Structure formats: structure tokens, C-alpha cells
Amino acid sequence: MVSPQEKPIGVFDSGIGGLSVLKQLVRFIPYERFIYLGDTARVPYGNRSVDIVKEYAKQCTEFLIEKNVKLIIVACNTVSSVALETVIETAGKIPVIGMIKPAAGAALRSTVNKKIGIIGTRATVSSNSYGKEIHSLANNEQVDVFSQACPLFVPLAEEGMIRHSSTKVIAEEYLSVLKEQNVDTLVLGCTHYPLLSQLFKEIMPEVNLIDPGEHSAVSALRLLAESGELVEEKDEFLIKPNIEFYVTDVPALFYEQAQNFLGFGIDEPIKITLE
Ligand code: DGL
């Protein structure tokens, strides 16, 4: 029988954006085995209806259950916003960590003036998932949450236009509303946005940026440590993280984009069909 420590952690996203979350997981729990699933054939999820995102999320979860994972990380803010319950119901006894709660807690700890900005896809922003979670965690404390959908950031990041002048103009436009509201904390509520952190810092230098991937990785570390399922540091030097990649399509530029998100090269992904 496989011991809990030997089981992999399942991570899924609508595409390659979740690799920014995987990068944080490798940073905090490097000795774990990971199974990464990117639904690259059906990305983006961010402009789709709630029902369709739920259906896709269920299929991704079922795939990871088949892989005998010990924990599921929903490395997509859109799925975490509109379909977390579907993932939890499908996963049964397997614990699930989404992007919203860990980042909402971090945003509350960060804010001094109690004004928090959220940026994300249309689906994430219209769900008000971050606003609801922040207000529930804040109890009765007064906190103002201002949200802005930034749909153009996903294609810009995927095109590698991180330092392009047009990206700066678009970012200034999107962030102007949040600047006017004087937010002191900004949640990067989409997998692609940590790639644009430098630009956000230039436009809003006083603001503290919250990367949900980082905080969900810390939650995963805590959860596994508490349940005794954490793979402890090994004596031998870790040459390469242990990650299996599955995708529903291998698009052009896949390796280049994956490298941008992850910061290191990846093995050949295995193409699968979800249904
Ligand atoms: N992964 C998605 C998110 O974090 C962005 C890409 C998409 O729209 O599917 O919301």
C-alpha cells in the first residue's frame, strides 16, 4: 500500500497559468510529488459561464482522483471563485485548497487603511468571491474592497508582452480606479498576474501585492504538516522537482510560456482527453 507521504499532490488550472501556483508549491514543499493538469484545449475559463466552468472543474477533479492524489490545489482563480464547491463535492475525502481564502486572509493581514483592491478575470470579479471571503474573515471590521476585471492581462502575459509599452498603458488604465480609491493592498486574483508584478509595483509603488499562489502553497504546507502527510526534507540534494504534466492540448509556444510561468524547464507533457 502507498503511504500518504508517497501520494502526489494534484494541481489543476484552465491552462498553463496555474504553473505560477505550482512554482510557489515547489518553493514551499519541494520534496513532494506533483501531478499538474492544464486544460489547455479549453482555456480561457475566465470569460465562460458558471455552469461550464463547474462542468470542466468536475472533469479535472475526477482526473486527479484517478491519479490517487492526497490533496487537490485549484490553481485557477476563476475555478476557485465559481466552482470550488463542485471540486470539494467531487473530491469527497480528499482535501481541496483554492486560491481565494488564503489570499483573502493575507490581504486582511496586509492592509492598514482597510482598503483592498482585487484584480481578476471577468468571472472572478463578477462572482465577488474575494470580497465575500474578505468580509467573512473580517468579522464586523469595516473593510472596503474594490474590484477590477482585467481581461486583457491574460493574452498579454501569454504573448510574453510583460515589458511592452502597450501593456503599461493598459495596466495604468485598469489600475487607475483602484489608485483613486487609495487601496494599500492589491490581490493578484488571476494566475497570470504575478508575471506582471514588476509593472504593478511601478504603477502603484506604495501598494502591497498579494500573490494567491504563494499563500495557497503555505496553506498546503500547513495542511500536510498537520495531517502528517508532508514529505520531509531528504538528505540528498534535490536536482529536479518531481512533476508529471498532463494537458488537453499542446499549443504552439507551450514550452516558452511554461518556462515563463515556472522559471524552469519541464518534461514532455502527456496529452489527455477530459470528458
Ligand atoms: N487561470 C485563470 C485564472 O486564474 C486565468 C486564465 C483563464 O481565464 O482561464 O482566473
mmCIF file of all heavy atoms in Angstrom, residues 13-14 43-46 75-78 121 124 154 189-192, ligand 1:
data_model
loop_
_atom_site.group_PDB
_atom_site.id
_atom_site.type_symbol
_atom_site.label_atom_id
_atom_site.label_comp_id
_atom_site.label_asym_id
_atom_site.label_seq_id
_atom_site.Cartn_x
_atom_site.Cartn_y
_atom_site.Cartn_z
ATOM 1 N N ASP A 13 -5.448 23.672 -13.464
ATOM 2 C CA ASP A 13 -5.774 25.027 -13.922
ATOM 3 C C ASP A 13 -6.419 24.905 -15.300
ATOM 4 O O ASP A 13 -6.344 23.861 -15.947
ATOM 5 C CB ASP A 13 -4.492 25.874 -14.006
ATOM 6 C CG ASP A 13 -4.749 27.263 -14.585
ATOM 7 O OD1 ASP A 13 -5.734 27.909 -14.166
ATOM 8 O OD2 ASP A 13 -4.004 27.701 -15.478
ATOM 9 N N SER A 14 -6.993 26.021 -15.760
ATOM 10 C CA SER A 14 -7.565 26.055 -17.104
ATOM 11 C C SER A 14 -6.481 25.893 -18.174
ATOM 12 O O SER A 14 -6.785 25.565 -19.311
ATOM 13 C CB SER A 14 -8.286 27.387 -17.300
ATOM 14 O OG SER A 14 -7.400 28.460 -17.013
ATOM 15 N N VAL A 43 -8.888 26.493 -22.490
ATOM 16 C CA VAL A 43 -8.562 27.777 -21.873
ATOM 17 C C VAL A 43 -8.963 28.898 -22.843
ATOM 18 O O VAL A 43 -8.908 28.670 -24.064
ATOM 19 C CB VAL A 43 -7.031 27.831 -21.554
ATOM 20 C CG1 VAL A 43 -6.193 27.885 -22.828
ATOM 21 C CG2 VAL A 43 -6.686 28.936 -20.582
ATOM 22 N N PRO A 44 -9.373 30.086 -22.444
ATOM 23 C CA PRO A 44 -9.525 30.532 -21.072
ATOM 24 C C PRO A 44 -10.901 30.188 -20.494
ATOM 25 O O PRO A 44 -11.881 30.096 -21.221
ATOM 26 C CB PRO A 44 -9.374 32.051 -21.206
ATOM 27 C CG PRO A 44 -9.911 32.374 -22.567
ATOM 28 C CD PRO A 44 -9.605 31.171 -23.411
ATOM 29 N N TYR A 45 -10.942 30.015 -19.178
ATOM 30 C CA TYR A 45 -12.207 29.799 -18.474
ATOM 31 C C TYR A 45 -12.837 31.148 -18.063
ATOM 32 O O TYR A 45 -14.019 31.214 -17.768
ATOM 33 C CB TYR A 45 -11.984 29.010 -17.181
ATOM 34 C CG TYR A 45 -11.707 27.517 -17.290
ATOM 35 C CD1 TYR A 45 -11.543 26.873 -18.514
ATOM 36 C CD2 TYR A 45 -11.628 26.751 -16.130
ATOM 37 C CE1 TYR A 45 -11.284 25.502 -18.568
ATOM 38 C CE2 TYR A 45 -11.384 25.383 -16.175
ATOM 39 C CZ TYR A 45 -11.208 24.760 -17.401
ATOM 40 O OH TYR A 45 -10.968 23.407 -17.434
ATOM 41 N N GLY A 46 -11.984 32.169 -17.978
ATOM 42 C CA GLY A 46 -12.373 33.432 -17.337
ATOM 43 C C GLY A 46 -13.534 34.187 -17.950
ATOM 44 O O GLY A 46 -14.163 35.010 -17.289
ATOM 45 N N ALA A 75 -5.570 25.544 -8.842
ATOM 46 C CA ALA A 75 -4.617 26.617 -9.172
ATOM 47 C C ALA A 75 -5.178 27.566 -10.213
ATOM 48 O O ALA A 75 -4.486 27.990 -11.134
ATOM 49 C CB ALA A 75 -3.306 25.997 -9.657
ATOM 50 N N CYS A 76 -6.443 27.889 -10.087
ATOM 51 C CA CYS A 76 -7.109 28.785 -11.033
ATOM 52 C C CYS A 76 -8.070 29.631 -10.221
ATOM 53 O O CYS A 76 -8.927 29.087 -9.499
ATOM 54 C CB CYS A 76 -7.877 27.965 -12.072
ATOM 55 S SG CYS A 76 -8.833 28.961 -13.222
ATOM 56 N N ASN A 77 -7.925 30.930 -10.320
ATOM 57 C CA ASN A 77 -8.782 31.827 -9.534
ATOM 58 C C ASN A 77 -10.229 31.764 -10.014
ATOM 59 O O ASN A 77 -11.155 31.900 -9.217
ATOM 60 C CB ASN A 77 -8.274 33.258 -9.641
ATOM 61 C CG ASN A 77 -6.996 33.463 -8.874
ATOM 62 O OD1 ASN A 77 -7.019 33.906 -7.738
ATOM 63 N ND2 ASN A 77 -5.867 33.127 -9.464
ATOM 64 N N THR A 78 -10.406 31.558 -11.323
ATOM 65 C CA THR A 78 -11.767 31.505 -11.858
ATOM 66 C C THR A 78 -12.500 30.287 -11.306
ATOM 67 O O THR A 78 -13.618 30.390 -10.795
ATOM 68 C CB THR A 78 -11.722 31.482 -13.401
ATOM 69 O OG1 THR A 78 -11.039 32.661 -13.850
ATOM 70 C CG2 THR A 78 -13.099 31.422 -14.005
ATOM 71 N N THR A 121 -10.105 37.891 -13.572
ATOM 72 C CA THR A 121 -10.873 37.726 -14.813
ATOM 73 C C THR A 121 -12.297 38.253 -14.587
ATOM 74 O O THR A 121 -12.696 38.510 -13.438
ATOM 75 C CB THR A 121 -10.971 36.226 -15.208
ATOM 76 O OG1 THR A 121 -11.658 35.526 -14.165
ATOM 77 C CG2 THR A 121 -9.604 35.615 -15.440
ATOM 78 N N THR A 124 -14.153 35.914 -12.160
ATOM 79 C CA THR A 124 -13.723 36.059 -10.764
ATOM 80 C C THR A 124 -14.300 37.335 -10.166
ATOM 81 O O THR A 124 -14.841 37.324 -9.054
ATOM 82 C CB THR A 124 -12.168 36.071 -10.691
ATOM 83 O OG1 THR A 124 -11.706 34.782 -11.095
ATOM 84 C CG2 THR A 124 -11.658 36.381 -9.301
ATOM 85 N N VAL A 154 -4.429 38.460 -19.453
ATOM 86 C CA VAL A 154 -4.134 37.044 -19.749
ATOM 87 C C VAL A 154 -3.468 36.912 -21.124
ATOM 88 O O VAL A 154 -2.358 36.378 -21.228
ATOM 89 C CB VAL A 154 -5.403 36.156 -19.611
ATOM 90 C CG1 VAL A 154 -5.183 34.778 -20.227
ATOM 91 C CG2 VAL A 154 -5.775 35.998 -18.135
ATOM 92 N N GLY A 189 -5.560 38.452 -8.425
ATOM 93 C CA GLY A 189 -6.532 37.366 -8.434
ATOM 94 C C GLY A 189 -6.663 36.617 -9.743
ATOM 95 O O GLY A 189 -7.777 36.274 -10.157
ATOM 96 N N CYS A 190 -5.553 36.359 -10.388
ATOM 97 C CA CYS A 190 -5.543 35.555 -11.619
ATOM 98 C C CYS A 190 -4.137 34.984 -11.754
ATOM 99 O O CYS A 190 -3.150 35.671 -11.452
ATOM 100 C CB CYS A 190 -5.879 36.443 -12.812
ATOM 101 S SG CYS A 190 -5.674 35.626 -14.404
ATOM 102 N N THR A 191 -4.071 33.735 -12.202
ATOM 103 C CA THR A 191 -2.780 33.033 -12.276
ATOM 104 C C THR A 191 -1.705 33.770 -13.080
ATOM 105 O O THR A 191 -0.520 33.578 -12.839
ATOM 106 C CB THR A 191 -2.997 31.663 -12.951
ATOM 107 O OG1 THR A 191 -3.776 31.870 -14.132
ATOM 108 C CG2 THR A 191 -3.697 30.706 -12.025
ATOM 109 N N HIS A 192 -2.152 34.559 -14.058
ATOM 110 C CA HIS A 192 -1.182 35.209 -14.947
ATOM 111 C C HIS A 192 -0.587 36.490 -14.370
ATOM 112 O O HIS A 192 0.440 36.957 -14.839
ATOM 113 C CB HIS A 192 -1.854 35.557 -16.278
ATOM 114 C CG HIS A 192 -2.230 34.367 -17.104
ATOM 115 N ND1 HIS A 192 -3.041 33.358 -16.632
ATOM 116 C CD2 HIS A 192 -1.892 34.031 -18.371
ATOM 117 C CE1 HIS A 192 -3.200 32.445 -17.591
ATOM 118 N NE2 HIS A 192 -2.512 32.833 -18.652
HETATM 119 N N1 DGL B 1 -6.327 30.618 -14.722
HETATM 120 C C1 DGL B 1 -7.294 31.672 -14.895
HETATM 121 C C2 DGL B 1 -7.496 32.395 -13.545
HETATM 122 O O1 DGL B 1 -6.651 32.345 -12.667
HETATM 123 C C3 DGL B 1 -6.882 32.662 -15.959
HETATM 124 C C4 DGL B 1 -6.987 32.112 -17.374
HETATM 125 C C5 DGL B 1 -8.403 31.774 -17.751
HETATM 126 O O2 DGL B 1 -9.250 32.679 -17.925
HETATM 127 O O3 DGL B 1 -8.687 30.590 -17.872
HETATM 128 O O4 DGL B 1 -8.504 33.010 -13.351
#
